[in-house]
Amino acid sequence: EAQVTQNPRYLITVTGKKLTVTCSQNMNHEYMSWYRQDPGLGLRQIYYSMNVEVTDKGDVPEGYKVSRKEKRNFPLILESPSPNQTSLYFCASSSWTGTYEQYFGPGTRLTVT
Amino acid sequence: AQSVTQLGSHVSVSEGALVLLRCNYSSSVPPYLFWYVQYPNQGLQLLLKYTSAATLVKGINGFEAEFKKSETSFHLTKPSAHMSDAAEYFCAVTSLSNTGKLIFGQGTTLQVKP
């Protein structure tokens, strides 16, 4: 089954404690990205990757890091989380061919206290 | 800058009534347009997409949307609402400068009353 998986689904942590949210897709998509969803703001892109070893900032990159060492994986790293990073995070992937439809993971709800 | 505006953060309809969720986009050239649905505690699921093949697009679960270039709109409709349609709906457009990126509207929560 074609899918994007994320782990963990729920995470409660404290300010400053480094964390990683994993993302993996099995569709051989070149493009992957991370979004955060906040009430009234829709989804905003944090970082994206066009292919292995190619990453770039989205609209709200401050406080986040990413890496793309393998085509299928695109982890999101918060090296020193702060309460304003409390949000719902989605990983997505798409192919360069076709209609750029994005496939989304199930989401990770992060709470930073 | 490109943007997507969804009119009405909350829409309430009675079961069996017409559903109309409004979306307007700003783009200098015809974009790819999408509607996604998010059920509680779930990820985003694609409802339908416009890719310039036809202006009236049919999607899953009885939804459809019409692309109107003159109005820069892509409103989502369904003739008869079901209780199971209660969810949050997002309109999105592909970025012209970064075609792998979607620009989302703020979302519209659809409530269906019995």
Side-chain angles (χ1 to χ4, degrees):
Chain A
E1 178 190 357
Q3 60 181 352
V4 178
T5 57
Q6 293 178 231
N7 282 291
R9 294 288 313 278
Y10 302 90
L11 180 58
I12 301 174
T13 190
V14 296
T15 299
K17 185 176 181 181
K18 180 178 179 180
L19 67 90
T20 299
V21 183
T22 64
C23 172
S24 183
Q25 51 95 4
N26 63 1
M27 295 167 279
N28 201 36
H29 284 165
E30 298 83 7
Y31 193 100
M32 297 185 73
S33 60
W34 278 100
Y35 294 86
R36 61 177 288 173
Q37 181 184 1
D38 301 291
L41 297 178
L43 281 80
R44 295 174 292 167
Q45 192 184 54
I46 302 170
Y47 266 96
Y48 65 95
S49 169
M50 294 190 183
N51 217 322
V52 176
E53 303 291 1
V54 181
T55 63
D56 207 346
K57 297 176 181 178
D59 298 318
V60 288
E62 293 76 21
Y64 304 94
K65 285 179 58 177
V66 294
S67 67
R68 186 96 179 270
K69 294 183 169 53
E70 303 168 286
K71 195 172 186 179
R72 63 184 292 125
N73 296 324
F74 190 45
L76 179 69
I77 303 159
L78 285 72
E79 294 211 325
S80 185
S82 62
N84 64 12
Q85 293 178 297
T86 293
S87 187
L88 180 57
Y89 292 87
F90 288 101
C91 181
S93 72
S94 63
S95 173
W96 282 123
T97 59
T99 58
Y100 308 108
E101 171 186 342
Q102 297 216 358
Y103 295 80
F104 284 83
T108 295
R109 186 166 294 280
L110 172 65
T111 302
V112 184
T113 62
Chain B
Q2 282 180 278
S3 64
V4 175
T5 302
Q6 292 182 236
L7 295 175
S9 58
H10 288 84
V11 170
S12 182
V13 300
S14 298
E15 192 173 19
L18 172 71
V19 175
L20 171 60
L21 305 182
R22 300 177 187 274
C23 172
N24 289 88
Y25 67 93
S26 68
S27 179
S28 57
V29 296
Y32 290 156
L33 290 155
F34 305 86
W35 274 100
Y36 283 87
V37 60
Q38 184 181 26
Y39 298 104
N41 299 314
Q42 294 187 28
L44 277 74
Q45 179 182 3
L46 182 69
L47 269 180
L48 50 80
K49 58 187 176 185
Y50 168 75
T51 60
S52 75
T55 56
L56 183 61
V57 181
K58 294 188 184 300
I60 62 172
N61 301 339
F63 284 94
E64 62 182 37
E66 186 173 8
F67 173 71
K68 292 187 176 180
K69 183 179 177 181
S70 61
E71 299 177 5
T72 60
S73 68
F74 191 56
H75 301 332
L76 182 70
T77 60
K78 182 174 181 177
S80 176
H82 295 163
M83 297 297 292
S84 60
D85 294 326
E88 188 161 21
Y89 293 79
F90 292 95
C91 181
V93 62
T94 48
S95 167
L96 295 174
S97 60
N98 177 1
T99 49
K101 171 184 172 180
L102 288 178
I103 299 169
F104 284 87
Q106 306 92 318
T108 298
T109 299
L110 176 65
Q111 180 188 22
V112 182
K113 298 178 290 185

